[in-house]
Amino acid sequence: MSPNTQLLLLAFGAVVALIVLIARFKLHPFVALIAVSLVLGITAGMPLGGVVTAFTDGVGTVLGFIAIVVALGTMLGKIMAESGGATRIATTLITLFGEQRVHWAIMFVAFIVGIPVFFQVGFVLLIPLVFTIARRSGLSLVKIGIPLVAGLSVVHGMVPPHPAAMLAVGAYHADVGRTIAYALLVGLPTAALAGPIFASWIAPRIALPAESPIAAQLAGGGGGVPRDMPGFGITLFTVLLPVILMLCATTADIALDAASTLRSGVDFVGGPIVALLVALLFSFWSLGYRQHFTRDQILKFANDCLGPTAAILLVIGAGGGFNRVLLESGVGRAIAEVALGSHASPLLLAWTVAALIRVATGSATVAMTTAAGIVAPIALATPGTPTELLVLATGAGSLVLSHVNDSGFWLIKEFFNMTVPQTLKTWTVAETIIGVAGLGFTLLLSLVVGCAPRERGASELSAQGWIDVTATLDPAKTPVYEGDAPMKFDFLKDMRKGDILTLSVYSLGAHSGTHIDAPMHFVANGAPIDQVGLDPLIGAARVIDIPDSVRAIDSGELNRHDWRGAKRVLFRTRSTLRGWMDSAEFHRDFAYIAPDAAQLLADAGVLLVGVDYISAEQFGAAAPRTHQILLGRGIPIVEGLDLRPVQAGDYNVIVLPLKVRGHEAAPARAILRKRTGN
């Protein structure tokens, strides 16, 4: 049996074991996820310490964002519930649409609200409305809730400017405007099938417990609701305030220059966490003080609503740990290798690869970005492939069959107070309907737009404007990392000595001069250098100047610079200022990327990280955490750049390593060209 087959069978067995332990033996999901994750990592051949590290990193990565979002969103929901704001919006929607059609209204609201926000943010913003409408109308929570999550999920997977969709747009070189237009044509009927239509059928078949701690908090018990509910306008503005702020940030990213101070400020306020915080603080006034609540009452609301979220966050975090163990065990790479042997059409291939990675890893974002990197070269070699539809097909595949390794699965289960089998019958089936229907509608659309003539670039590719930032390999001048193989260059034949030709021979380490580290360098079962895709190696990059006095590029130093939004980040440090890549002496005090900064870059979806000395890791570090974090996310690291010819700013980059089969690194040639526009 091949190693890839073994990995896939192990992943499948782990998923089955989780379902059996939780559903049959009633083991708490938090405990089951930890136990299965550790067993999976060990049986997959990961080092014992590496398994624990991978799991804890996964927990931290997921909770670093979701814990804050759930806490802020739950407090906002509690204020809406106790003030009567959620009741006001629910009453208005029921009046406008009627009780029998209010689940359609929720789907459209989720679709609109979900366009600029992350799935989790939209969910915690709108879930109070679901609980309130269900309580006031007497309709099943499932009938109201499934349309909500269906609308949010479709937008999350298919519609730019969501991060995963935007990464796919870049990988396929698709047009953003056309992608959004096609996504709306495909997404709305897909959301309708998976939302109101499916919910109407499944709701009578799901019996939920009469008591729900979260519902009790967010639907409002009525005791604290003032006699006069807040107005519909001020309540709607309060719940949409984070959406408005995020839309402003998206607009600023498109309309303003990357170096603009105004853009930096708008991006800061429009980030999901800050936007939710601003909305929560505003709600303290709009739905708190204006409704005659005292400061003590508002504080009590905030405290009371956080208790029921503790178990939710623990389970979600453990799901993130399971996800990371799956990734670092090599399951994603195994799927990629199997997919490359397929001869399917690009649309079907994109959907299939994304679906397989989604099922294996539980992450829609990982599935979409990984699948796009695998399929993009195949699509470019297939004439007439509609790249915008490739984005949609990949997005649809990345949503299919959410189950126990997806943090979203546990979010839905815990908030709706469902059992694992009930969550599989509702949320998992809805997600699968989205994936299959999304592909079906995309294929139908391809019958029309696939025949349309496409614009082709008329500009001729030339060397004009490109700057070589490759360090020249010279045994007399090029530094070699302490303990690495020395460089030896010689001539087997030399015309200067009377031979009929000149013939050279080189001996050097894989990490000599300008080179690229592949995941295999520090990740068990990581991809070797010959399997690093082209997408991270070619595209827009930002060169960031780090002062000569700085040795550790930590999160504080990183956030002093305009790096967010850049997909490839290259650091120009003291090594450039001192010309160390042209000095044979090895300098131990080079500037390095600290692990906390590496985590920020990885979490932001950066595709490539580069430094101007022969390592990104602190010399003598107790553990190679920076490499493990970046390479563990599949982010190649280019080291040994000679950035003396360039200044800080935005560039296009091409950096291509030698294609050496089965090894962890290779020397590379790197060139930059200043970006003058989009």
Side-chain angles (χ1 to χ4, degrees):
M1 186 183 297
S2 70
N4 285 345
T5 304
Q6 290 178 348
L7 281 173
L8 296 177
L9 288 175
L10 282 174
F12 177 76
V15 171
V16 172
L18 270 178
I19 296 173
V20 171
L21 287 173
I22 296 168
R24 175 69 179 85
F25 294 100
K26 307 302 179 185
L27 189 63
H28 193 282
F30 180 67
V31 178
L33 282 163
I34 296 176
V36 171
S37 299
L38 297 180
V39 172
L40 171 63
I42 293 168
T43 54
M46 294 176 65
L48 295 180
V51 178
V52 176
T53 300
F55 183 82
T56 54
D57 284 350
V59 172
T61 299
V62 168
L63 291 186
F65 175 74
I66 292 182
I68 300 173
V69 165
V70 168
L72 292 175
T74 303
M75 284 191 279
L76 178 58
K78 180 68 171 176
I79 294 293
M80 286 182 60
E82 295 294 342
S83 68
T87 303
R88 170 67 75 188
I89 294 179
T91 304
T92 304
L93 288 177
I94 292 171
T95 302
L96 287 175
F97 290 89
E99 286 189 4
Q100 300 308 311
R101 293 185 297 275
V102 73
H103 55 309
W104 285 92
I106 283 291
M107 185 208 80
F108 283 109
V109 169
F111 202 95
I112 294 168
V113 170
I115 287 177
V117 305
F118 289 97
F119 176 88
Q120 295 91 343
V121 178
F123 181 81
V124 297
L125 278 175
L126 297 178
I127 193 63
L129 297 184
V130 171
F131 290 133
T132 305
I133 290 173
R135 179 173 59 83
R136 291 184 61 83
S137 66
L139 294 173
S140 164
L141 184 61
V142 172
K143 186 172 182 178
I144 307 297
I146 292 300
L148 167 74
V149 295
L152 291 172
S153 186
V154 167
V155 174
H156 174 77
M158 295 187 185
V159 185
H162 273 281
M166 285 302 295
L167 285 171
V169 165
Y172 293 132
H173 304 291
D175 179 80
V176 176
R178 194 182 290 129
T179 302
I180 293 174
Y182 292 165
L184 294 177
L185 290 174
V186 168
L188 282 170
T190 298
L193 279 176
I197 295 173
F198 170 66
S200 297
W201 180 83
I202 193 64
R205 295 163 172 81
I206 300 295
L208 297 182
E211 300 295 327
S212 171
I214 293 292
Q217 292 293 332
L218 299 185
V225 178
R227 180 173 300 174
D228 296 325
M229 291 185 293
F232 178 75
I234 189 67
T235 306
L236 187 65
F237 178 77
T238 301
V239 75
L240 290 182
L241 181 56
V243 180
I244 294 168
L245 293 175
M246 292 180 211
L247 274 175
C248 289
T250 301
T251 305
D253 288 344
I254 297 172
L256 300 177
D257 185 79
S260 167
T261 303
L262 176 60
R263 173 174 166 179
S264 298
V266 174
D267 280 344
F268 173 76
V269 177
I273 292 173
V274 177
L276 271 173
L277 176 62
V278 170
L280 176 62
L281 294 175
F282 180 74
S283 75
F284 290 161
W285 173 81
S286 64
L287 304 178
Y289 297 133
R290 287 183 83 247
Q291 294 303 109
H292 310 295
F293 286 117
T294 65
R295 283 177 291 182
D296 288 339
Q297 286 176 302
I298 293 174
L299 177 62
K300 185 176 186 301
F301 295 155
N303 286 332
D304 289 348
C305 70
L306 292 180
T309 65
I312 295 174
L313 293 175
L314 284 175
V315 173
I316 291 172
F322 181 49
N323 184 320
R324 178 64 68 87
V325 172
L326 279 169
L327 287 174
E328 295 200 8
S329 66
V331 171
R333 180 172 60 87
I335 291 173
E337 291 180 1
V338 171
L340 288 174
S342 169
H343 298 288
S345 73
L347 287 177
L348 289 174
L349 180 63
W351 186 90
T352 303
V353 173
L356 290 172
I357 296 174
R358 158 69 157 183
V359 171
T361 67
S363 170
T365 302
V366 169
M368 196 167 186
T369 53
T370 305
I374 292 169
V375 177
I378 301 171
L380 291 174
T382 308
T385 303
T387 53
E388 294 78 22
L389 297 189
L390 278 171
V391 176
L392 302 190
T394 308
S398 74
L399 298 173
V400 108
L401 204 64
S402 166
H403 58 96
V404 293
N405 62 350
D406 178 14
S407 60
F409 178 93
W410 300 105
L411 190 73
I412 304 305
K413 175 192 176 298
E414 298 297 328
F415 266 84
F416 287 179
N417 201 24
M418 293 190 288
T419 65
V420 167
Q422 287 175 330
T423 313
L424 290 168
K425 293 175 184 177
T426 53
W427 162 254
T428 301
V429 173
E431 287 285 89
T432 304
I433 292 172
I434 291 172
V436 175
L439 174 64
F441 287 123
T442 299
L443 291 174
L444 286 175
L445 188 58
S446 72
L447 298 177
V448 179
V449 302
C451 301
R454 301 188 57 79
E455 297 178 6
R456 299 193 178 274
S459 60
E460 181 182 351
L461 183 64
S462 71
Q464 184 175 2
W466 288 100
I467 304 168
D468 195 339
V469 291
T470 314
T472 302
L473 291 173
D474 182 349
K477 289 188 173 183
T478 306
V480 174
Y481 197 88
E482 192 170 292
D484 203 356
M487 283 185 286
K488 297 179 181 178
F489 293 3
D490 204 350
F491 294 99
L492 294 179
K493 296 184 181 295
D494 192 339
M495 293 179 67
R496 295 167 298 185
K497 297 180 179 179
D499 295 321
I500 61 171
L501 77 163
T502 301
L503 189 63
S504 301
V505 59
Y506 307 149
S507 172
L508 69 164
H511 300 266
S512 298
T514 305
H515 63 276
I516 292 178
D517 288 351
M520 182 182 175
H521 187 33
F522 278 112
V523 177
N525 299 315
I529 192 67
D530 58 301
Q531 292 182 15
V532 172
L534 291 176
D535 186 53
L537 308 179
I538 301 174
R542 185 166 299 163
V543 175
I544 295 177
D545 257 337
I546 303 296
D548 179 80
S549 59
V550 174
R551 281 199 59 202
I553 307 172
D554 55 18
S555 58
E557 175 63 30
L558 180 61
N559 284 329
R560 279 191 275 274
H561 303 274
D562 180 21
W563 67 274
R564 294 191 181 275
K567 292 305 174 189
R568 298 162 190 84
V569 178
L570 311 178
F571 292 104
R572 188 175 185 272
T573 74
R574 61 197 338 229
S575 301
T576 290
L577 300 175
R578 303 181 184 205
W580 283 351
M581 278 309 296
D582 197 25
S583 168
E585 178 187 356
F586 175 67
H587 296 269
R588 295 183 174 188
D589 55 340
F590 56 85
Y592 60 89
I593 303 172
D596 59 345
Q599 192 68 60
L600 276 180
L601 294 166
D603 291 345
V606 169
L607 300 178
L608 178 74
V609 175
V611 293
D612 56 355
Y613 204 56
I614 42 181
S615 180
E617 197 82 48
Q618 179 184 13
F619 180 81
R625 293 296 299 129
T626 294
H627 279 82
Q628 289 171 343
I629 291 167
L630 295 175
L631 298 179
R633 290 287 190 90
I635 303 170
I637 307 171
V638 55
E639 298 171 329
L641 292 165
D642 183 357
L643 296 178
R644 288 177 295 180
V646 300
Q647 300 299 319
D650 288 331
Y651 294 82
N652 289 316
V653 63
I654 299 175
V655 50
L656 299 177
L658 294 176
K659 199 169 184 179
V660 182
R661 184 181 299 278
H663 283 268
E664 87 293 347
R669 189 75 178 262
I671 55 176
L672 295 175
R673 182 165 66 181
K674 191 73 175 176
R675 287 174 64 85
T676 56
N678 294 329

